[in-house]
Amino acid sequence: MSGGLFAVLATYLQVLVSGLAVGGIYALIALSFSITFTTTKTLNFSQGEFISFGAFVGVATLYFMSAHSGSTGIAGLTDRASAGFNYPVAALVVGCVTGVLGIAIFVAAVRPFAGKPGMSWVMSTIGFGIILQSIGLAVWGPAPVKLPSPFGDDVLRFAGVGVRPQELLVLAVAVAVMIALDLVMRRTRIGKAMRAVAHNPAVASLMGINVAAIMIGAFVLSSALAGLGGLLVAPIASASLFMGLGIALKAFSGAIMGGLDNPRGCIFGGFILGLLEQGIALWQAQWREIVIFVLIILVLAVWPNGLFGSRAMDKV
């Protein structure tokens, strides 16, 4: 194989690996949008703030666990801060904290307006996100923080492709979580209950399903996924209280493209968006956002409910 052809193949393989890693995050967050939409017909428009807040909860947890090993503050975490079981424990804490916040946003910003005319819940969820971000700024400040990866930052190279261990971890965790959730939704009683609520809450209630508990659970799960996404992406992009909006916007675009009422479609849309983003960046980085969103508009013009969506959606 000539050196030129090998270089071309290595470049495209690099795009594939990087695109899958980025797409894994988009798919995870897109799935979180789908979970709340299918069960409550509402969306959490502060999902970006949950991503950022989750990242900083993880940073703070790692600091408390590593203060004795040289870390001098959340901005001074040593490489050992994420070593061993610290990072999984931080992920568990992030999931619990953002899950509780998911209950809070459902009770305070969604439930009072659910089922009522108008789109009040849109502004209430946005307002909840602004409150969350303001609390984060008051506690941790506006500066971005470097979060060490549990497997180090050295670039791994194979077949001419360079990839950081954190990118592989992101992809592995995202795929594992999505497979687990898919199995839960299709093969467990709670998954069947969630699907029943998604299909018809009134009928589900008559069948003895606690609809309110299922809806709260959906927000807990959705918020925990957003927080976990923030912790996973923080070692790659640095933790920032402003990083979540862009990620959530693209993940939402992936969900819309794949079909918001179809969890598998949302996952597909997230991965496609990640691959498109990396592929277009290889061609012209400055055209990346333009081309991606033009393609999304074209897709929705042909398939208004997304590639795999099946229901008519109310237009906001």
Side-chain angles (χ1 to χ4, degrees):
M1 182 182 295
S2 67
L5 181 58
F6 179 80
V8 171
L9 290 177
T11 300
Y12 284 107
L13 188 57
Q14 179 74 64
V15 169
L16 177 64
V17 173
S18 300
L20 288 175
V22 174
I25 289 294
Y26 293 158
L28 201 63
I29 307 303
L31 181 60
S32 73
F33 279 114
S34 178
I35 288 171
T36 55
F37 179 77
T38 53
T39 51
T40 67
K41 298 297 181 292
T42 61
L43 294 165
N44 179 7
F45 281 96
S46 63
Q47 204 74 326
E49 283 69 28
F50 275 77
I51 295 172
S52 303
F53 202 84
F56 269 86
V57 169
V59 169
T61 303
L62 291 174
Y63 167 65
F64 283 118
M65 289 192 295
S66 64
H68 63 280
S69 60
S71 294
T72 56
I74 62 170
L77 293 179
T78 64
D79 291 340
R80 288 184 295 174
S82 298
F85 288 102
N86 287 2
Y87 196 79
V89 170
L92 184 61
V93 173
V94 167
C96 291
V97 172
T98 50
V100 171
L101 289 171
I103 297 175
I105 192 172
F106 177 78
V107 172
V110 176
R111 190 170 186 176
F113 309 104
K116 296 180 180 178
M119 307 295 289
S120 302
W121 53 270
V122 174
M123 278 309 302
S124 62
T125 56
I126 291 174
F128 190 95
I130 293 172
I131 293 171
L132 202 60
Q133 186 182 61
S134 299
I135 292 173
L137 288 170
V139 175
W140 297 301
V145 173
K146 174 65 178 173
L147 194 156
S149 168
F151 299 110
D153 293 322
D154 294 336
V155 176
L156 305 176
R157 296 198 175 278
F158 59 93
V161 176
V163 59
R164 285 190 286 180
Q166 186 66 23
E167 292 178 297
L168 297 178
L169 179 64
V170 166
L171 181 59
V173 171
V175 171
V177 168
M178 288 181 284
I179 291 175
L181 285 177
D182 191 73
L183 291 175
V184 168
M185 291 294 290
R186 294 179 183 279
R187 299 188 181 182
T188 67
R189 293 186 64 180
I190 191 168
K192 292 176 181 177
M194 291 182 72
R195 289 164 58 193
V197 172
H199 182 70
N200 192 321
V203 174
S205 180
L206 291 175
M207 294 170 63
I209 296 173
N210 189 333
V211 175
I214 292 295
M215 289 183 173
I216 291 175
F219 266 82
V220 169
L221 183 57
S222 172
S223 302
L225 286 179
L228 178 63
L231 181 66
L232 286 171
V233 79
I236 300 173
S238 294
S240 165
L241 287 167
F242 305 101
M243 73 177 188
L245 180 59
I247 297 173
L249 180 59
K250 290 181 180 176
F252 185 62
S253 301
I256 292 291
M257 185 169 65
L260 198 52
D261 63 343
N262 187 327
R264 288 181 175 177
C266 290
I267 293 170
F268 179 81
F271 276 114
I272 288 297
L273 201 65
L275 289 169
L276 277 175
E277 186 177 279
Q278 295 301 311
I280 296 168
L282 175 68
W283 168 58
Q284 287 286 337
Q286 65 271 28
W287 284 85
R288 182 174 55 188
E289 316 296 343
I290 298 172
V291 174
I292 285 175
F293 284 101
V294 167
L295 283 174
I296 290 173
I297 292 170
L298 289 176
V299 167
L300 293 179
V302 180
W303 296 281
N305 295 325
L307 293 172
F308 303 100
S310 58
R311 299 176 185 173
M313 294 168 51
D314 294 330
K315 296 181 179 180
V316 180

PDB file of all heavy atoms in Angstrom, residues 80-117:
ATOM      1  N   ARG A  80      -3.700  12.229  39.826  1.00  0.00           N
ATOM      2  CA  ARG A  80      -4.161  11.118  40.652  1.00  0.00           C
ATOM      3  C   ARG A  80      -5.602  11.316  41.139  1.00  0.00           C
ATOM      4  O   ARG A  80      -6.205  10.401  41.696  1.00  0.00           O
ATOM      5  CB  ARG A  80      -3.245  10.950  41.866  1.00  0.00           C
ATOM      6  CG  ARG A  80      -1.870  10.384  41.517  1.00  0.00           C
ATOM      7  CD  ARG A  80      -1.043  10.146  42.757  1.00  0.00           C
ATOM      8  NE  ARG A  80      -0.727  11.396  43.440  1.00  0.00           N
ATOM      9  CZ  ARG A  80      -0.114  11.470  44.606  1.00  0.00           C
ATOM     10  NH1 ARG A  80       0.227  10.360  45.239  1.00  0.00           N
ATOM     11  NH2 ARG A  80       0.136  12.647  45.160  1.00  0.00           N
ATOM     12  N   ALA A  81      -6.128  12.513  40.933  1.00  0.00           N
ATOM     13  CA  ALA A  81      -7.484  12.792  41.421  1.00  0.00           C
ATOM     14  C   ALA A  81      -8.525  11.867  40.787  1.00  0.00           C
ATOM     15  O   ALA A  81      -9.512  11.501  41.425  1.00  0.00           O
ATOM     16  CB  ALA A  81      -7.847  14.251  41.148  1.00  0.00           C
ATOM     17  N   SER A  82      -8.302  11.504  39.517  1.00  0.00           N
ATOM     18  CA  SER A  82      -9.289  10.660  38.818  1.00  0.00           C
ATOM     19  C   SER A  82      -8.903   9.188  38.821  1.00  0.00           C
ATOM     20  O   SER A  82      -9.606   8.375  38.208  1.00  0.00           O
ATOM     21  CB  SER A  82      -9.435  11.133  37.359  1.00  0.00           C
ATOM     22  OG  SER A  82      -9.919  12.452  37.306  1.00  0.00           O
ATOM     23  N   ALA A  83      -7.807   8.853  39.481  1.00  0.00           N
ATOM     24  CA  ALA A  83      -7.294   7.481  39.422  1.00  0.00           C
ATOM     25  C   ALA A  83      -8.154   6.533  40.254  1.00  0.00           C
ATOM     26  O   ALA A  83      -8.937   6.945  41.113  1.00  0.00           O
ATOM     27  CB  ALA A  83      -5.849   7.453  39.926  1.00  0.00           C
ATOM     28  N   GLY A  84      -7.985   5.238  39.976  1.00  0.00           N
ATOM     29  CA  GLY A  84      -8.676   4.212  40.759  1.00  0.00           C
ATOM     30  C   GLY A  84     -10.184   4.306  40.673  1.00  0.00           C
ATOM     31  O   GLY A  84     -10.757   4.487  39.597  1.00  0.00           O
ATOM     32  N   PHE A  85     -10.823   4.199  41.852  1.00  0.00           N
ATOM     33  CA  PHE A  85     -12.287   4.227  41.898  1.00  0.00           C
ATOM     34  C   PHE A  85     -12.829   5.651  42.021  1.00  0.00           C
ATOM     35  O   PHE A  85     -14.039   5.838  42.119  1.00  0.00           O
ATOM     36  CB  PHE A  85     -12.793   3.386  43.076  1.00  0.00           C
ATOM     37  CG  PHE A  85     -12.623   1.910  42.868  1.00  0.00           C
ATOM     38  CD1 PHE A  85     -11.584   1.217  43.477  1.00  0.00           C
ATOM     39  CD2 PHE A  85     -13.492   1.208  42.036  1.00  0.00           C
ATOM     40  CE1 PHE A  85     -11.430  -0.148  43.274  1.00  0.00           C
ATOM     41  CE2 PHE A  85     -13.345  -0.154  41.831  1.00  0.00           C
ATOM     42  CZ  PHE A  85     -12.304  -0.840  42.452  1.00  0.00           C
ATOM     43  N   ASN A  86     -11.930   6.647  42.066  1.00  0.00           N
ATOM     44  CA  ASN A  86     -12.399   8.027  42.244  1.00  0.00           C
ATOM     45  C   ASN A  86     -13.360   8.463  41.137  1.00  0.00           C
ATOM     46  O   ASN A  86     -14.410   9.060  41.399  1.00  0.00           O
ATOM     47  CB  ASN A  86     -11.205   8.992  42.297  1.00  0.00           C
ATOM     48  CG  ASN A  86     -10.449   8.886  43.613  1.00  0.00           C
ATOM     49  OD1 ASN A  86     -10.792   8.074  44.468  1.00  0.00           O
ATOM     50  ND2 ASN A  86      -9.416   9.688  43.784  1.00  0.00           N
ATOM     51  N   TYR A  87     -12.977   8.178  39.892  1.00  0.00           N
ATOM     52  CA  TYR A  87     -13.807   8.636  38.769  1.00  0.00           C
ATOM     53  C   TYR A  87     -15.166   7.929  38.751  1.00  0.00           C
ATOM     54  O   TYR A  87     -16.206   8.603  38.602  1.00  0.00           O
ATOM     55  CB  TYR A  87     -13.055   8.423  37.460  1.00  0.00           C
ATOM     56  CG  TYR A  87     -13.622   9.178  36.286  1.00  0.00           C
ATOM     57  CD1 TYR A  87     -13.362  10.534  36.115  1.00  0.00           C
ATOM     58  CD2 TYR A  87     -14.427   8.540  35.341  1.00  0.00           C
ATOM     59  CE1 TYR A  87     -13.887  11.233  35.035  1.00  0.00           C
ATOM     60  CE2 TYR A  87     -14.950   9.221  34.262  1.00  0.00           C
ATOM     61  CZ  TYR A  87     -14.677  10.567  34.113  1.00  0.00           C
ATOM     62  OH  TYR A  87     -15.204  11.257  33.035  1.00  0.00           O
ATOM     63  N   PRO A  88     -15.231   6.592  38.924  1.00  0.00           N
ATOM     64  CA  PRO A  88     -16.562   5.950  39.009  1.00  0.00           C
ATOM     65  C   PRO A  88     -17.402   6.472  40.176  1.00  0.00           C
ATOM     66  O   PRO A  88     -18.621   6.629  40.036  1.00  0.00           O
ATOM     67  CB  PRO A  88     -16.228   4.463  39.185  1.00  0.00           C
ATOM     68  CG  PRO A  88     -14.871   4.298  38.591  1.00  0.00           C
ATOM     69  CD  PRO A  88     -14.151   5.584  38.893  1.00  0.00           C
ATOM     70  N   VAL A  89     -16.746   6.729  41.325  1.00  0.00           N
ATOM     71  CA  VAL A  89     -17.497   7.273  42.465  1.00  0.00           C
ATOM     72  C   VAL A  89     -18.029   8.664  42.122  1.00  0.00           C
ATOM     73  O   VAL A  89     -19.185   9.003  42.431  1.00  0.00           O
ATOM     74  CB  VAL A  89     -16.602   7.338  43.721  1.00  0.00           C
ATOM     75  CG1 VAL A  89     -17.297   8.118  44.845  1.00  0.00           C
ATOM     76  CG2 VAL A  89     -16.265   5.927  44.204  1.00  0.00           C
ATOM     77  N   ALA A  90     -17.190   9.468  41.452  1.00  0.00           N
ATOM     78  CA  ALA A  90     -17.636  10.805  41.035  1.00  0.00           C
ATOM     79  C   ALA A  90     -18.823  10.693  40.078  1.00  0.00           C
ATOM     80  O   ALA A  90     -19.778  11.473  40.162  1.00  0.00           O
ATOM     81  CB  ALA A  90     -16.489  11.562  40.373  1.00  0.00           C
ATOM     82  N   ALA A  91     -18.772   9.706  39.171  1.00  0.00           N
ATOM     83  CA  ALA A  91     -19.887   9.510  38.233  1.00  0.00           C
ATOM     84  C   ALA A  91     -21.167   9.155  38.988  1.00  0.00           C
ATOM     85  O   ALA A  91     -22.262   9.634  38.643  1.00  0.00           O
ATOM     86  CB  ALA A  91     -19.545   8.414  37.228  1.00  0.00           C
ATOM     87  N   LEU A  92     -21.038   8.325  40.030  1.00  0.00           N
ATOM     88  CA  LEU A  92     -22.211   7.957  40.829  1.00  0.00           C
ATOM     89  C   LEU A  92     -22.785   9.170  41.549  1.00  0.00           C
ATOM     90  O   LEU A  92     -24.014   9.377  41.578  1.00  0.00           O
ATOM     91  CB  LEU A  92     -21.809   6.885  41.838  1.00  0.00           C
ATOM     92  CG  LEU A  92     -22.925   6.296  42.705  1.00  0.00           C
ATOM     93  CD1 LEU A  92     -23.972   5.614  41.835  1.00  0.00           C
ATOM     94  CD2 LEU A  92     -22.355   5.299  43.731  1.00  0.00           C
ATOM     95  N   VAL A  93     -21.895   9.993  42.118  1.00  0.00           N
ATOM     96  CA  VAL A  93     -22.344  11.206  42.817  1.00  0.00           C
ATOM     97  C   VAL A  93     -23.030  12.159  41.843  1.00  0.00           C
ATOM     98  O   VAL A  93     -24.099  12.727  42.139  1.00  0.00           O
ATOM     99  CB  VAL A  93     -21.150  11.906  43.511  1.00  0.00           C
ATOM    100  CG1 VAL A  93     -21.583  13.262  44.081  1.00  0.00           C
ATOM    101  CG2 VAL A  93     -20.588  11.023  44.617  1.00  0.00           C
ATOM    102  N   VAL A  94     -22.426  12.323  40.669  1.00  0.00           N
ATOM    103  CA  VAL A  94     -23.015  13.202  39.652  1.00  0.00           C
ATOM    104  C   VAL A  94     -24.412  12.721  39.277  1.00  0.00           C
ATOM    105  O   VAL A  94     -25.364  13.502  39.184  1.00  0.00           O
ATOM    106  CB  VAL A  94     -22.106  13.255  38.395  1.00  0.00           C
ATOM    107  CG1 VAL A  94     -22.854  13.909  37.224  1.00  0.00           C
ATOM    108  CG2 VAL A  94     -20.838  14.024  38.700  1.00  0.00           C
ATOM    109  N   GLY A  95     -24.543  11.403  39.071  1.00  0.00           N
ATOM    110  CA  GLY A  95     -25.849  10.850  38.716  1.00  0.00           C
ATOM    111  C   GLY A  95     -26.886  11.105  39.803  1.00  0.00           C
ATOM    112  O   GLY A  95     -28.034  11.451  39.506  1.00  0.00           O
ATOM    113  N   CYS A  96     -26.482  10.944  41.064  1.00  0.00           N
ATOM    114  CA  CYS A  96     -27.420  11.155  42.181  1.00  0.00           C
ATOM    115  C   CYS A  96     -27.820  12.629  42.299  1.00  0.00           C
ATOM    116  O   CYS A  96     -29.017  12.950  42.445  1.00  0.00           O
ATOM    117  CB  CYS A  96     -26.784  10.674  43.490  1.00  0.00           C
ATOM    118  SG  CYS A  96     -26.568   8.881  43.583  1.00  0.00           S
ATOM    119  N   VAL A  97     -26.825  13.523  42.237  1.00  0.00           N
ATOM    120  CA  VAL A  97     -27.109  14.953  42.403  1.00  0.00           C
ATOM    121  C   VAL A  97     -27.980  15.477  41.262  1.00  0.00           C
ATOM    122  O   VAL A  97     -29.006  16.147  41.493  1.00  0.00           O
ATOM    123  CB  VAL A  97     -25.797  15.769  42.498  1.00  0.00           C
ATOM    124  CG1 VAL A  97     -26.102  17.275  42.476  1.00  0.00           C
ATOM    125  CG2 VAL A  97     -25.038  15.406  43.763  1.00  0.00           C
ATOM    126  N   THR A  98     -27.603  15.167  40.037  1.00  0.00           N
ATOM    127  CA  THR A  98     -28.389  15.671  38.904  1.00  0.00           C
ATOM    128  C   THR A  98     -29.754  14.967  38.841  1.00  0.00           C
ATOM    129  O   THR A  98     -30.734  15.549  38.377  1.00  0.00           O
ATOM    130  CB  THR A  98     -27.631  15.493  37.578  1.00  0.00           C
ATOM    131  OG1 THR A  98     -27.165  14.141  37.469  1.00  0.00           O
ATOM    132  CG2 THR A  98     -26.449  16.430  37.510  1.00  0.00           C
ATOM    133  N   GLY A  99     -29.802  13.708  39.332  1.00  0.00           N
ATOM    134  CA  GLY A  99     -31.103  13.034  39.408  1.00  0.00           C
ATOM    135  C   GLY A  99     -32.048  13.743  40.363  1.00  0.00           C
ATOM    136  O   GLY A  99     -33.234  13.920  40.059  1.00  0.00           O
ATOM    137  N   VAL A 100     -31.533  14.150  41.528  1.00  0.00           N
ATOM    138  CA  VAL A 100     -32.353  14.910  42.482  1.00  0.00           C
ATOM    139  C   VAL A 100     -32.787  16.241  41.873  1.00  0.00           C
ATOM    140  O   VAL A 100     -33.934  16.684  42.035  1.00  0.00           O
ATOM    141  CB  VAL A 100     -31.570  15.139  43.793  1.00  0.00           C
ATOM    142  CG1 VAL A 100     -32.319  16.117  44.705  1.00  0.00           C
ATOM    143  CG2 VAL A 100     -31.357  13.814  44.521  1.00  0.00           C
ATOM    144  N   LEU A 101     -31.869  16.869  41.134  1.00  0.00           N
ATOM    145  CA  LEU A 101     -32.231  18.116  40.458  1.00  0.00           C
ATOM    146  C   LEU A 101     -33.309  17.867  39.399  1.00  0.00           C
ATOM    147  O   LEU A 101     -34.125  18.744  39.106  1.00  0.00           O
ATOM    148  CB  LEU A 101     -30.992  18.748  39.822  1.00  0.00           C
ATOM    149  CG  LEU A 101     -29.977  19.339  40.805  1.00  0.00           C
ATOM    150  CD1 LEU A 101     -28.694  19.744  40.086  1.00  0.00           C
ATOM    151  CD2 LEU A 101     -30.574  20.551  41.522  1.00  0.00           C
ATOM    152  N   GLY A 102     -33.284  16.654  38.817  1.00  0.00           N
ATOM    153  CA  GLY A 102     -34.328  16.291  37.858  1.00  0.00           C
ATOM    154  C   GLY A 102     -35.696  16.261  38.521  1.00  0.00           C
ATOM    155  O   GLY A 102     -36.690  16.678  37.921  1.00  0.00           O
ATOM    156  N   ILE A 103     -35.742  15.742  39.756  1.00  0.00           N
ATOM    157  CA  ILE A 103     -37.011  15.773  40.505  1.00  0.00           C
ATOM    158  C   ILE A 103     -37.438  17.216  40.745  1.00  0.00           C
ATOM    159  O   ILE A 103     -38.607  17.580  40.585  1.00  0.00           O
ATOM    160  CB  ILE A 103     -36.851  15.033  41.850  1.00  0.00           C
ATOM    161  CG1 ILE A 103     -36.525  13.553  41.620  1.00  0.00           C
ATOM    162  CG2 ILE A 103     -38.127  15.154  42.690  1.00  0.00           C
ATOM    163  CD1 ILE A 103     -36.238  12.785  42.891  1.00  0.00           C
ATOM    164  N   ALA A 104     -36.454  18.044  41.116  1.00  0.00           N
ATOM    165  CA  ALA A 104     -36.759  19.446  41.424  1.00  0.00           C
ATOM    166  C   ALA A 104     -37.327  20.176  40.211  1.00  0.00           C
ATOM    167  O   ALA A 104     -38.328  20.909  40.320  1.00  0.00           O
ATOM    168  CB  ALA A 104     -35.497  20.154  41.923  1.00  0.00           C
ATOM    169  N   ILE A 105     -36.711  19.948  39.044  1.00  0.00           N
ATOM    170  CA  ILE A 105     -37.198  20.683  37.861  1.00  0.00           C
ATOM    171  C   ILE A 105     -38.572  20.170  37.436  1.00  0.00           C
ATOM    172  O   ILE A 105     -39.420  20.949  36.971  1.00  0.00           O
ATOM    173  CB  ILE A 105     -36.189  20.596  36.689  1.00  0.00           C
ATOM    174  CG1 ILE A 105     -36.575  21.600  35.605  1.00  0.00           C
ATOM    175  CG2 ILE A 105     -36.115  19.212  36.101  1.00  0.00           C
ATOM    176  CD1 ILE A 105     -35.552  21.736  34.501  1.00  0.00           C
ATOM    177  N   PHE A 106     -38.827  18.876  37.637  1.00  0.00           N
ATOM    178  CA  PHE A 106     -40.161  18.364  37.274  1.00  0.00           C
ATOM    179  C   PHE A 106     -41.232  18.957  38.192  1.00  0.00           C
ATOM    180  O   PHE A 106     -42.281  19.405  37.730  1.00  0.00           O
ATOM    181  CB  PHE A 106     -40.183  16.835  37.371  1.00  0.00           C
ATOM    182  CG  PHE A 106     -41.533  16.242  37.075  1.00  0.00           C
ATOM    183  CD1 PHE A 106     -41.969  16.123  35.758  1.00  0.00           C
ATOM    184  CD2 PHE A 106     -42.371  15.824  38.096  1.00  0.00           C
ATOM    185  CE1 PHE A 106     -43.230  15.601  35.479  1.00  0.00           C
ATOM    186  CE2 PHE A 106     -43.634  15.302  37.823  1.00  0.00           C
ATOM    187  CZ  PHE A 106     -44.061  15.187  36.509  1.00  0.00           C
ATOM    188  N   VAL A 107     -40.932  18.946  39.497  1.00  0.00           N
ATOM    189  CA  VAL A 107     -41.925  19.430  40.465  1.00  0.00           C
ATOM    190  C   VAL A 107     -42.135  20.936  40.334  1.00  0.00           C
ATOM    191  O   VAL A 107     -43.282  21.424  40.385  1.00  0.00           O
ATOM    192  CB  VAL A 107     -41.474  19.073  41.897  1.00  0.00           C
ATOM    193  CG1 VAL A 107     -42.385  19.730  42.932  1.00  0.00           C
ATOM    194  CG2 VAL A 107     -41.479  17.555  42.090  1.00  0.00           C
ATOM    195  N   ALA A 108     -41.029  21.683  40.164  1.00  0.00           N
ATOM    196  CA  ALA A 108     -41.133  23.142  40.195  1.00  0.00           C
ATOM    197  C   ALA A 108     -41.413  23.773  38.837  1.00  0.00           C
ATOM    198  O   ALA A 108     -42.073  24.817  38.766  1.00  0.00           O
ATOM    199  CB  ALA A 108     -39.826  23.728  40.761  1.00  0.00           C
ATOM    200  N   ALA A 109     -40.931  23.157  37.769  1.00  0.00           N
ATOM    201  CA  ALA A 109     -40.976  23.853  36.481  1.00  0.00           C
ATOM    202  C   ALA A 109     -41.757  23.133  35.398  1.00  0.00           C
ATOM    203  O   ALA A 109     -42.003  23.720  34.345  1.00  0.00           O
ATOM    204  CB  ALA A 109     -39.540  24.098  35.989  1.00  0.00           C
ATOM    205  N   VAL A 110     -42.134  21.881  35.605  1.00  0.00           N
ATOM    206  CA  VAL A 110     -42.839  21.147  34.555  1.00  0.00           C
ATOM    207  C   VAL A 110     -44.246  20.752  34.994  1.00  0.00           C
ATOM    208  O   VAL A 110     -45.229  21.047  34.303  1.00  0.00           O
ATOM    209  CB  VAL A 110     -42.040  19.886  34.141  1.00  0.00           C
ATOM    210  CG1 VAL A 110     -42.823  19.072  33.116  1.00  0.00           C
ATOM    211  CG2 VAL A 110     -40.685  20.276  33.583  1.00  0.00           C
ATOM    212  N   ARG A 111     -44.341  20.096  36.144  1.00  0.00           N
ATOM    213  CA  ARG A 111     -45.641  19.568  36.566  1.00  0.00           C
ATOM    214  C   ARG A 111     -46.736  20.635  36.691  1.00  0.00           C
ATOM    215  O   ARG A 111     -47.880  20.392  36.282  1.00  0.00           O
ATOM    216  CB  ARG A 111     -45.503  18.825  37.894  1.00  0.00           C
ATOM    217  CG  ARG A 111     -46.758  18.046  38.273  1.00  0.00           C
ATOM    218  CD  ARG A 111     -46.511  17.130  39.447  1.00  0.00           C
ATOM    219  NE  ARG A 111     -47.665  16.293  39.727  1.00  0.00           N
ATOM    220  CZ  ARG A 111     -47.686  15.359  40.646  1.00  0.00           C
ATOM    221  NH1 ARG A 111     -46.607  15.135  41.382  1.00  0.00           N
ATOM    222  NH2 ARG A 111     -48.759  14.631  40.833  1.00  0.00           N
ATOM    223  N   PRO A 112     -46.418  21.847  37.223  1.00  0.00           N
ATOM    224  CA  PRO A 112     -47.498  22.847  37.340  1.00  0.00           C
ATOM    225  C   PRO A 112     -48.086  23.269  35.997  1.00  0.00           C
ATOM    226  O   PRO A 112     -49.200  23.783  35.955  1.00  0.00           O
ATOM    227  CB  PRO A 112     -46.789  24.039  38.027  1.00  0.00           C
ATOM    228  CG  PRO A 112     -45.631  23.427  38.736  1.00  0.00           C
ATOM    229  CD  PRO A 112     -45.177  22.306  37.850  1.00  0.00           C
ATOM    230  N   PHE A 113     -47.340  23.032  34.911  1.00  0.00           N
ATOM    231  CA  PHE A 113     -47.807  23.511  33.603  1.00  0.00           C
ATOM    232  C   PHE A 113     -48.148  22.368  32.645  1.00  0.00           C
ATOM    233  O   PHE A 113     -48.640  22.611  31.547  1.00  0.00           O
ATOM    234  CB  PHE A 113     -46.720  24.382  32.956  1.00  0.00           C
ATOM    235  CG  PHE A 113     -46.206  25.451  33.872  1.00  0.00           C
ATOM    236  CD1 PHE A 113     -44.968  25.335  34.488  1.00  0.00           C
ATOM    237  CD2 PHE A 113     -46.982  26.569  34.145  1.00  0.00           C
ATOM    238  CE1 PHE A 113     -44.499  26.320  35.351  1.00  0.00           C
ATOM    239  CE2 PHE A 113     -46.522  27.550  35.005  1.00  0.00           C
ATOM    240  CZ  PHE A 113     -45.287  27.436  35.615  1.00  0.00           C
ATOM    241  N   ALA A 114     -47.837  21.114  33.037  1.00  0.00           N
ATOM    242  CA  ALA A 114     -48.088  19.978  32.146  1.00  0.00           C
ATOM    243  C   ALA A 114     -49.574  19.804  31.900  1.00  0.00           C
ATOM    244  O   ALA A 114     -50.387  19.893  32.821  1.00  0.00           O
ATOM    245  CB  ALA A 114     -47.503  18.703  32.757  1.00  0.00           C
ATOM    246  N   GLY A 115     -49.937  19.562  30.660  1.00  0.00           N
ATOM    247  CA  GLY A 115     -51.323  19.319  30.308  1.00  0.00           C
ATOM    248  C   GLY A 115     -52.160  20.565  30.169  1.00  0.00           C
ATOM    249  O   GLY A 115     -53.347  20.479  29.892  1.00  0.00           O
ATOM    250  N   LYS A 116     -51.546  21.734  30.387  1.00  0.00           N
ATOM    251  CA  LYS A 116     -52.281  22.993  30.272  1.00  0.00           C
ATOM    252  C   LYS A 116     -51.957  23.655  28.936  1.00  0.00           C
ATOM    253  O   LYS A 116     -50.886  23.435  28.376  1.00  0.00           O
ATOM    254  CB  LYS A 116     -51.917  23.927  31.433  1.00  0.00           C
ATOM    255  CG  LYS A 116     -52.347  23.374  32.797  1.00  0.00           C
ATOM    256  CD  LYS A 116     -51.977  24.334  33.908  1.00  0.00           C
ATOM    257  CE  LYS A 116     -52.410  23.778  35.269  1.00  0.00           C
ATOM    258  NZ  LYS A 116     -52.027  24.665  36.382  1.00  0.00           N
ATOM    259  N   PRO A 117     -52.879  24.471  28.430  1.00  0.00           N
ATOM    260  CA  PRO A 117     -52.606  25.150  27.160  1.00  0.00           C
ATOM    261  C   PRO A 117     -51.384  26.060  27.277  1.00  0.00           C
ATOM    262  O   PRO A 117     -51.046  26.548  28.357  1.00  0.00           O
ATOM    263  CB  PRO A 117     -53.889  25.967  26.931  1.00  0.00           C
ATOM    264  CG  PRO A 117     -54.927  25.317  27.786  1.00  0.00           C
ATOM    265  CD  PRO A 117     -54.213  24.765  28.968  1.00  0.00           C
TER     266      PRO A 117
END
